[in-house]
Amino acid sequence: MSTNKIRFNDLEILHLCKPSLKNSYISVKKNGDITLKTPRVSESYIENLLSKRESWIRKQLKIVEENPPKIHNLQDEVLLFGELFSIDSDEASELREYLKKIDISKIDPILKCYDKYYRNYAKNYLTQRAEHYAKEMSLSYSDIKFRKMRSRWGSCSSRGTITFNTELIKIDKKLIDFVVVHELAHLVHMNHSKKFHDLVSQYIPDSRALNQELKHLSLGF
């Protein structure tokens, strides 16, 4: 596989040439990076492809620009359910207790306090939502786990273990519910077939719109 950067009008694009590919793919990451993956093709093919997809690329870049990551000031704020709360608020009471026990002149202990706080908050809230929807959907999972992940909001194993990203607690509640139902639906369909999406839509009517919103969400962690 070869890699090089190409220019198209005012756009800088990372081109990955992989001969084993059968089709070409264009993606725009949450940080605005554009990637083009193709089999071995000519320059004219690439230029023609980018010309056809330019409006889509710019639309995705606009979405990225309009959805900057929400970053909170350590020791001053917490980010919960898409909103910033003061460290003095009731929502942050547990975090304040953690911070009292550490040397706040060092960043690593502060970050660990925040991670512990978000994990505990996520564990309590997400467990409640999972139990709520599992009952609504007449489903049962074997176990529920929590991890801080950078690339996935959640997962469901073939053994019925559901894992949630603790960073979920930072986003809007409607998006959290979508992820919860999404993973529970995998207990029935271990794929993303039409039947799977239909099941999710039964409990989250605007699931497709929420899925698109989630794809473009960037929290900056």
Side-chain angles (χ1 to χ4, degrees), residues 41-64:
V41 294
S42 66
E43 290 185 10
S44 60
Y45 172 90
I46 292 175
E47 185 172 349
N48 185 51
L49 175 62
L50 292 176
S51 294
K52 290 180 178 179
R53 301 293 287 165
E54 182 178 5
S55 61
W56 180 86
I57 293 172
R58 294 193 183 281
K59 180 181 178 181
Q60 302 311 306
L61 290 173
K62 184 177 180 181
I63 291 173
V64 169

Side-chain angles (χ1 to χ4, degrees), residues 76-122:
D76 292 328
E77 299 169 324
V78 293
L79 177 59
L80 290 173
F81 308 124
E83 297 183 36
L84 289 172
F85 292 89
S86 167
I87 194 70
D88 297 318
S89 65
D90 292 339
E91 287 80 3
S93 59
E94 186 176 350
L95 177 60
R96 290 198 301 273
E97 293 303 313
Y98 295 156
L99 293 173
K100 288 178 182 178
K101 301 174 183 179
I102 65 166
D103 179 0
I104 59 174
S105 66
K106 299 179 180 179
I107 189 64
D108 284 345
I110 295 175
L111 292 175
K112 288 181 180 179
C113 284
Y114 268 84
D115 283 345
K116 183 179 179 181
Y117 164 76
Y118 284 125
R119 179 182 178 81
N120 289 343
Y121 212 111

Side-chain angles (χ1 to χ4, degrees), residues 2 13 18 28-29 35 40 55 61 64 84-85 87 92 99 113 115 129 134-135 141 143 146 149 164 177 217:
S2 62
I13 301 168
K18 191 174 182 180
V28 178
K29 295 183 178 180
T35 301
R40 190 172 285 112
S55 61
L61 290 173
V64 169
L84 289 172
F85 292 89
I87 194 70
L99 293 173
C113 284
D115 283 345
R129 301 312 292 162
K135 184 177 180 179
Y141 46 85
D143 195 12
F146 303 89
M149 299 182 283
F164 289 120
D177 280 355
L217 190 64

Side-chain angles (χ1 to χ4, degrees), residues 8 12 14 37 62 64 73 86 88-89 92 108 111 117 146-147 158 166 194 197 221:
F8 179 76
E12 183 177 272
L14 178 64
K37 296 180 181 180
K62 184 177 180 181
V64 169
N73 297 313
S86 167
D88 297 318
S89 65
D108 284 345
L111 292 175
Y117 164 76
F146 303 89
R147 290 174 50 204
S158 59
T166 54
K194 183 179 184 301
H197 288 297
F221 54 81

Side-chain angles (χ1 to χ4, degrees), residues 15 30 60 64 74 78 84 94 98 103 113 125 149 157-158 172 178 182 184 186 192 198 213:
H15 178 214
K30 295 177 182 178
Q60 302 311 306
V64 169
L74 294 180
V78 293
L84 289 172
E94 186 176 350
Y98 295 156
D103 179 0
C113 284
Y125 185 80
M149 299 182 283
S157 74
S158 59
D172 192 282
F178 165 71
H182 181 106
L184 287 171
H186 279 311
H192 289 105
D198 288 345
E213 185 176 343

